[in-house]
Amino acid sequence: MLAHDDHIALALSGGKDSLSLLNILVKLERRFPQSRLTAICVDEGIEGYRDEALFLAAKECTRLGIEQVTVSYKDLFGTTTDEIVKSNSDKTPCAYCGVLRRKAINKAASMVGATKIATAHNLDDEVQTVLLNILHGDPARLVRSAPVLRDMRGRFLTRIKPFYDTPEKEIALYAYLSGLEFQSLACPHSGEALRNDIRAFLNQMDQKHAGTKFTLQGSAERLRELLTENGHDVELNDCEKCGDPTPHRFCEACIMLETAFA
Ligand code: SF4
Ligand code: ZN
């Protein structure tokens, strides 16, 4: 996933997963003098939720002596997740928020000159996404959720997920044992997500049939190989609005921002 001279941009939310990954990457990074680590925080504009997480993230970066950059939806896109939720948007808050966060992290990582983006998605997140993509009728998206996502055309920074096959419970244990102070408050908009139902279903399955999450992860890997072999990689154009690479005329974020307030 990493080279000795990488400049890693870590997406740091202030939750247990990203704070654990920060602590692990700091240990690794210190062994390689040519490497560099920058924490990227995103303020989505969710009142009563994000402030605490940003405070905890900044506190941990200061303790570890890590450079930290915060970007906000308000500055980048002129709106916030709260404002989008209040508008007549037809999608769930997470559908908008997730797309905008990806774009915000890409922008911040390019801004600091990073060579790779690391995110703290864990095994549980990953298998939930597999089922979500299938339920949304979009299995080709599996290609884009690989643990190491390299864009052969060089239009996107490589994204890595070091916790890709680490169960959420193990990360929680690491965070507790390391004495990390993390945000435990849930996002006020998360209750609407289909992901919550899938999470409950997978937890139930894994409890009843141990190893279900790992098996599903294995199936996704095989499907990803098949999809890649069959050339399910798309041509990219420049978004006619923001210039970012997209398979369509406009990128997902620009389409969403346009439709959210239509
Ligand atoms: Fe955004 Fe949804 Fe995450 Fe809340 S739960 S921060 S709305 S993606
Ligand atoms: Zn765009």
Side-chain angles (χ1 to χ4, degrees):
M1 287 191 177
L2 292 165
H4 71 283
D5 56 353
D6 265 326
H7 177 179
I8 312 158
L10 166 69
L12 183 66
S13 69
K16 66 180 184 325
D17 301 300
S18 62
L19 284 170
S20 296
L21 185 56
L22 173 71
N23 275 266
I24 290 167
L25 287 178
V26 165
K27 284 183 197 153
L28 283 176
E29 194 260 335
R30 284 188 182 143
R31 285 167 36 197
F32 298 93
Q34 282 173 282
S35 68
R36 197 172 148 192
L37 178 62
T38 305
I40 307 286
C41 296
V42 179
D43 181 358
E44 302 94 341
I46 302 172
E47 219 189 307
Y49 166 67
R50 192 43 93 201
D51 291 351
E52 187 202 7
L54 289 173
F55 169 76
L56 293 172
K59 197 171 148 192
E60 189 64 355
C61 287
T62 308
R63 187 182 76 83
L64 295 166
I66 293 296
E67 185 191 347
Q68 184 216 348
V69 171
T70 302
V71 287
S72 73
Y73 284 4
K74 194 72 182 170
D75 289 344
L76 293 175
F77 312 119
T79 188
T80 63
T81 294
D82 280 347
E83 284 170 9
I84 292 174
V85 172
K86 278 189 209 132
S87 74
N88 294 322
S89 57
D90 57 339
K91 292 188 171 64
T92 63
C94 298
Y96 287 96
C97 191
V99 168
L100 295 183
R101 187 187 299 112
R102 221 172 15 252
K103 194 175 177 85
I105 291 168
N106 279 340
K107 273 184 185 291
S110 304
M111 213 166 74
V112 300
T115 53
K116 289 203 179 117
I117 296 173
T119 61
H121 293 97
N122 59 43
L123 173 73
D124 294 62
D125 299 324
E126 290 301 296
V127 289
Q128 287 158 20
T129 304
V130 170
L131 285 193
L132 263 176
N133 288 335
I134 291 171
L135 290 177
H136 282 148
D138 198 0
R141 259 184 192 264
L142 285 175
V143 175
R144 282 190 261 159
S145 61
V148 178
L149 191 62
R150 274 192 191 88
D151 177 18
M152 296 309 172
R153 298 145 294 198
R155 299 291 307 273
F156 293 108
L157 283 177
T158 297
R159 296 179 85 93
I160 59 164
K161 297 175 193 166
F163 284 164
Y164 166 81
D165 54 7
T166 309
E168 186 180 5
K169 277 185 185 167
E170 289 185 20
I171 301 171
L173 186 63
Y174 175 90
Y176 278 116
L177 292 178
S178 309
L180 299 182
E181 209 184 334
F182 57 85
Q183 189 185 39
S184 46
L185 199 72
C187 170
H189 307 308
S190 66
E192 294 169 49
L194 171 61
R195 186 178 283 275
N196 286 341
D197 294 337
I198 294 177
R199 178 184 295 119
F201 165 71
L202 284 170
N203 284 342
Q204 211 181 8
M205 285 292 286
D206 207 57
Q207 211 165 14
K208 222 170 156 185
H209 311 279
T212 295
K213 292 175 189 172
F214 282 110
T215 315
L216 186 54
Q217 179 84 294
S219 298
E221 270 166 30
R222 278 190 283 284
L223 277 172
R224 196 172 293 124
E225 278 163 24
L226 287 172
L227 288 167
T228 312
E229 275 167 26
N230 288 319
H232 274 259
D233 214 359
V234 284
E235 292 243 333
L236 292 177
N237 313 307
D238 293 335
C239 168
E240 290 181 21
K241 196 156 181 205
C242 72
D244 277 1
T246 169
H248 310 290
R249 273 182 66 199
F250 298 98
C251 73
E252 227 178 336
C254 285
I255 295 171
M256 285 196 160
L257 286 168
E258 195 74 37
T259 54
F261 299 101

